[in-house]
Amino acid sequence: MKLSISIRLAIGLFALVAAARAERWHVQYLYDEAKSDLTINDLAFPTPQRGVAVGYIDDRQRQRSRGAAVVTSDGGANWSVVPLPDTGLSVFFLNDSIGWVVTPKGIYRTEEGGRSWKKIPKSPKGTLRVFFHDSQHGYAAGLNKSVSETTDGGKSWKPLPAVTEVKSDPEYTAFTSISFAGPVGYITGFNQPPRRDDSHVPDWMEPEKAAVRKEWPSTSILIGTVNAGKTWGVTSSSLFGHISRVRMSPDGRGLGLIEFRYNAVFPSEVIAINLKTGHSESVYADKKRAVTDVALVRSGPAYLAASEVTGRLRAPIPSALHILKSDDMKLWKEMEVDYRANARKSVLAAVDAQNVWVATDTGMILKLVP
């Protein structure tokens, strides 16, 4: 009888260990064309089958770059490269057919799941991100303190009136994230004028100066609505670093990502937001992990995508990709990631608990598999 119980316990323990080890990040796509590199800037999966990654291909032989998208219609089993008119900065999809890509030349729309694109005339300049409630009503946010709204599918755009409440120099103000969960929405940005000793030379080229240069506060700006954009409110506060991403889930949870440029204690910090109460708290910061994106699964876990930090400064070369998972946004566990995966920056896309992807700026796309 004791032996039987021991065997049962051993089997149960083995099953638990196997289950814990089962989830891993598997490479679905790897760009490996000779003498060229693919940089992925953003990734969207409107459905478990349809996915679109956007960025650019750097042709080293011809010494030029061209915009590119990588698309799948079968959940990532097969991917194909599709040309873009210019570098893809970000992408947003309404469903498996209709989507928008933001480029330095303007905003383009697709009705074929990303396989062809048509430019939206007179789209706002300097746009970094877009969000659409439906095929007609959407927002564009970006540089020069710009937030615009369209109600006719992009044929015309009007400045969001709430932006006039933002008291900052447009030259140093940018809005970088748009997120909605039902009627609750946030457009986030920051204002950070350069300081006297700020250099246009990358930190890694001046490591001695960068190592002692301290992070200085910026003004964090949040434009929020609780009624799907009928009315907006504006708040601002002094903040070290800047908010680069906000993700929200219809179940009332939110995650915000703060990234730091200079010699801060941590390269990044993740903030949990209770959308019902407005309460927020720091839930993750690690000196050795530079988080570059966050994701939430409705009524499910949260994920962080990070690169490895080996010194006081972020290296100009890719480092090992790390993915962390939490069921309560308090305890974070590192997951098994394909050893080939590396990145300077990576982005997440989550449809549900069974369909989560990450794309890297080194031309890789991985999926979480059992």
Side-chain angles (χ1 to χ4, degrees):
M1 186 67 176
K2 291 183 179 180
L3 180 61
S4 177
I5 294 176
S6 298
I7 292 175
R8 291 177 188 174
L9 290 173
I11 292 174
L13 180 61
F14 177 79
L16 288 173
V17 173
R21 293 180 177 177
E23 285 191 317
R24 67 189 189 283
W25 291 85
H26 170 72
V27 174
Q28 277 196 326
Y29 176 81
L30 172 60
Y31 183 84
D32 60 355
E33 297 295 324
K35 298 182 179 180
S36 65
D37 302 295
L38 169 65
T39 295
I40 296 175
N41 290 326
D42 203 10
L43 174 69
F45 264 87
T47 68
Q49 292 74 39
R50 177 70 67 181
V52 179
V54 300
Y56 66 93
I57 293 174
D58 184 20
D59 190 327
R60 299 193 303 275
Q61 185 174 11
R62 298 182 180 180
Q63 296 186 338
R64 67 182 186 184
S65 63
R66 63 184 188 276
V70 186
V71 303
T72 181
S73 57
D74 55 14
N78 296 281
W79 296 84
S80 58
V81 178
V82 175
L84 285 178
D86 198 7
T87 296
L89 301 177
S90 64
V91 63
F92 176 84
F93 267 80
L94 185 64
N95 51 45
D96 62 357
S97 300
I98 301 175
W100 295 261
V101 64
V102 176
T103 80
K105 292 182 179 178
I107 304 170
Y108 292 77
R109 172 174 165 145
T110 181
E111 295 184 0
E112 299 177 350
R115 299 193 178 277
S116 66
W117 301 87
K118 184 177 180 180
K119 189 175 184 179
I120 296 177
K122 300 180 180 180
S123 53
K125 294 181 179 180
T127 297
L128 299 176
R129 289 200 175 272
V130 298
F131 177 93
F132 278 79
H133 291 291
D134 52 46
S135 62
Q136 301 299 306
H137 186 197
Y139 304 93
L143 304 176
N144 299 312
K145 204 168 72 173
S146 172
V147 181
S148 301
E149 181 178 16
T150 181
T151 55
D152 54 15
K155 295 178 182 178
S156 63
W157 297 84
K158 295 181 180 180
L160 196 69
V163 177
T164 60
E165 300 177 33
V166 179
K167 307 303 180 183
S168 64
D169 187 336
E171 184 178 358
Y172 305 116
T173 304
F175 290 95
T176 58
S177 180
I178 309 174
S179 181
F180 273 84
V184 179
Y186 291 111
I187 301 174
T188 56
F190 64 94
N191 169 259
Q192 190 169 50
R195 59 186 184 184
R196 294 177 183 177
D197 64 341
D198 195 15
S199 172
H200 294 293
V201 179
D203 292 345
W204 61 271
M205 292 184 67
E206 294 182 334
E208 295 84 4
K209 292 182 179 180
V212 297
R213 187 180 292 131
K214 299 297 184 181
E215 190 79 21
W216 76 101
S218 63
T219 300
S220 173
I221 306 166
L222 185 149
I223 304 176
T225 179
V226 294
N227 51 23
K230 293 179 181 179
T231 59
W232 294 84
V234 177
T235 60
S236 62
S237 61
S238 180
L239 179 74
F240 284 94
H242 69 273
I243 301 173
S244 60
R245 175 77 96 174
V246 172
R247 302 270 200 177
M248 301 192 298
S249 173
D251 57 17
R253 298 175 302 151
L255 279 179
L257 172 61
I258 301 174
E259 296 186 76
F260 303 98
R261 179 182 176 187
Y262 290 119
N263 186 27
V265 176
F266 301 103
S268 58
E269 184 177 10
V270 179
I271 306 296
I273 307 166
N274 186 318
L275 302 180
K276 298 176 182 178
T277 65
H279 176 73
S280 62
E281 62 178 331
S282 177
V283 294
Y284 182 83
D286 190 325
K287 295 179 180 179
K288 299 299 182 181
R289 300 287 181 267
V291 179
T292 62
D293 201 11
V294 298
L296 280 169
V297 173
R298 182 172 184 173
S299 301
Y303 297 92
L304 310 179
S307 294
E308 189 172 286
V309 177
T310 56
R312 298 182 71 182
L313 299 175
R314 297 191 188 189
I317 58 175
S319 60
L321 173 66
H322 293 266
I323 308 292
L324 298 99
K325 176 183 178 180
S326 176
D327 292 318
D328 58 7
M329 293 199 290
K330 294 180 180 179
L331 178 62
W332 297 89
K333 296 182 179 180
E334 292 217 17
M335 307 182 73
E336 182 181 344
V337 179
D338 190 294
Y339 72 94
R340 296 171 294 174
N342 58 78
R344 291 171 295 266
K345 183 178 179 61
S346 50
V347 290
L348 290 156
V351 179
D352 52 42
Q354 290 73 45
N355 295 279
V356 189
W357 288 264
V358 64
T360 73
D361 61 358
T362 54
M364 304 178 74
I365 300 174
L366 300 86
K367 184 180 182 181
L368 179 61
V369 297

